[in-house]
Amino acid sequence: DTSGNFIFNSLSLYRKADQIRNVIYIRGGEYKGNFSYEEQVADGTAEIFKWGCRYDNVVVKVAGNVKTVGIDNIDDPATKDCLYNFNEKFIRFRSDNKPTINQVVRIEGNPYAPVIMVKKDEASIAEFKTDSFDGEFEYKIIDASIKSKEAARQRAKAELYAYADQITEGSFRTYEKGLKVGQKIHLNSDIWGYDEWYVINK
């Protein structure tokens, strides 16, 4: 206010809220989960059984009996009890050995599940919450290179750290020398009601 470091009335500040992100949704690639299984009851006519997940270390059981499993479009179906298609997520039986009515068909293994993570900055949400707005600024990240929940959590934390608060930008004119891009500059003004640090970018 009195230092004379900037030309009077040249200081201009404004807050930007268009970049705020305080609820981050992460959709990554797939990770191999712990042992799991799915079951279906045969109707006596179906030869193909579709599943919800892709599985590694596949074991197929029909009425509790373990079946030999081949790879669909690779192995000879005559040499296996059934064939598994990883990409299409189904098991195919031959017509002469398909499960009979009411038999339980079970697939076991390690499922490949999508990496999905939601992380919120509750302080930021509370700051922007009003009677007509819940305070949430949502943002979605789709990145197939994220292969674990921990990696998704770290990515979401980094996004919240960078964007959960409003950004204040401003400018001023000065006769002082020595200011450079990348330096921090301290704005301390009772008149303006500011006591904050900024980064010079121009």
Side-chain angles (χ1 to χ4, degrees), residues 11 14 48 51 91 116 142 158 174 178:
L11 181 61
Y14 64 96
I48 294 177
W51 307 100
I91 294 171
I116 297 175
I142 299 176
T174 182

Short mmCIF file of all heavy atoms in Angstrom, two decimals, residues 11 14 48 51 91 116 142 158 174 178:
data_model
loop_
_atom_site.label_atom_id
_atom_site.label_comp_id
_atom_site.label_asym_id
_atom_site.label_seq_id
_atom_site.Cartn_x
_atom_site.Cartn_y
_atom_site.Cartn_z
N LEU A 11 -2.96 -2.28 -10.22
CA LEU A 11 -3.17 -3.65 -9.75
C LEU A 11 -4.59 -4.11 -10.08
O LEU A 11 -5.57 -3.43 -9.78
CB LEU A 11 -2.94 -3.74 -8.25
CG LEU A 11 -3.10 -5.11 -7.60
CD1 LEU A 11 -2.10 -6.11 -8.18
CD2 LEU A 11 -2.95 -5.02 -6.09
N TYR A 14 -8.45 -10.98 -10.17
CA TYR A 14 -9.75 -11.65 -10.34
C TYR A 14 -9.61 -13.13 -10.08
O TYR A 14 -8.56 -13.72 -10.34
CB TYR A 14 -10.34 -11.39 -11.72
CG TYR A 14 -9.54 -11.94 -12.88
CD1 TYR A 14 -9.84 -13.18 -13.44
CD2 TYR A 14 -8.48 -11.21 -13.42
CE1 TYR A 14 -9.10 -13.68 -14.50
CE2 TYR A 14 -7.74 -11.71 -14.48
CZ TYR A 14 -8.06 -12.94 -15.01
OH TYR A 14 -7.33 -13.42 -16.06
N ILE A 48 -23.51 -71.90 -25.01
CA ILE A 48 -22.61 -70.77 -24.71
C ILE A 48 -23.11 -70.07 -23.45
O ILE A 48 -24.30 -69.75 -23.33
CB ILE A 48 -22.55 -69.78 -25.89
CG1 ILE A 48 -21.90 -70.45 -27.11
CG2 ILE A 48 -21.78 -68.53 -25.50
CD1 ILE A 48 -21.86 -69.59 -28.33
N TRP A 51 -20.22 -64.42 -19.37
CA TRP A 51 -19.89 -64.02 -18.01
C TRP A 51 -19.64 -62.52 -17.91
O TRP A 51 -19.44 -61.84 -18.92
CB TRP A 51 -18.65 -64.80 -17.53
CG TRP A 51 -18.83 -66.27 -17.71
CD1 TRP A 51 -18.32 -67.03 -18.72
CD2 TRP A 51 -19.62 -67.15 -16.90
NE1 TRP A 51 -18.73 -68.33 -18.58
CE2 TRP A 51 -19.53 -68.43 -17.46
CE3 TRP A 51 -20.37 -66.97 -15.74
CZ2 TRP A 51 -20.16 -69.54 -16.93
CZ3 TRP A 51 -21.01 -68.08 -15.20
CH2 TRP A 51 -20.91 -69.34 -15.78
N ILE A 91 -17.98 -69.14 -22.24
CA ILE A 91 -17.57 -70.55 -22.31
C ILE A 91 -18.48 -71.23 -23.33
O ILE A 91 -19.70 -71.05 -23.30
CB ILE A 91 -17.71 -71.24 -20.94
CG1 ILE A 91 -16.71 -70.65 -19.95
CG2 ILE A 91 -17.50 -72.75 -21.07
CD1 ILE A 91 -16.93 -71.14 -18.54
N ILE A 116 -11.64 -48.23 -11.00
CA ILE A 116 -12.59 -47.12 -10.85
C ILE A 116 -12.38 -46.49 -9.48
O ILE A 116 -12.32 -47.18 -8.47
CB ILE A 116 -14.05 -47.60 -10.99
CG1 ILE A 116 -14.28 -48.17 -12.40
CG2 ILE A 116 -15.02 -46.47 -10.71
CD1 ILE A 116 -15.64 -48.79 -12.61
N ILE A 142 -10.14 -40.51 -17.90
CA ILE A 142 -10.09 -41.86 -18.48
C ILE A 142 -8.65 -42.08 -18.94
O ILE A 142 -8.17 -41.39 -19.83
CB ILE A 142 -11.07 -42.01 -19.65
CG1 ILE A 142 -12.51 -41.78 -19.16
CG2 ILE A 142 -10.94 -43.40 -20.28
CD1 ILE A 142 -13.54 -41.81 -20.27
N ALA A 158 -3.56 -35.82 -6.90
CA ALA A 158 -2.81 -34.79 -7.62
C ALA A 158 -3.76 -33.82 -8.30
O ALA A 158 -3.52 -32.60 -8.32
CB ALA A 158 -1.89 -35.43 -8.65
N THR A 174 4.97 -1.84 -12.86
CA THR A 174 5.97 -1.40 -11.88
C THR A 174 7.19 -0.85 -12.59
O THR A 174 7.45 -1.18 -13.76
CB THR A 174 6.40 -2.58 -10.98
OG1 THR A 174 7.34 -2.10 -10.01
CG2 THR A 174 7.04 -3.70 -11.78
N GLY A 178 14.14 -6.74 -11.85
CA GLY A 178 14.50 -8.00 -11.24
C GLY A 178 13.40 -9.05 -11.18
O GLY A 178 13.65 -10.16 -10.73
#
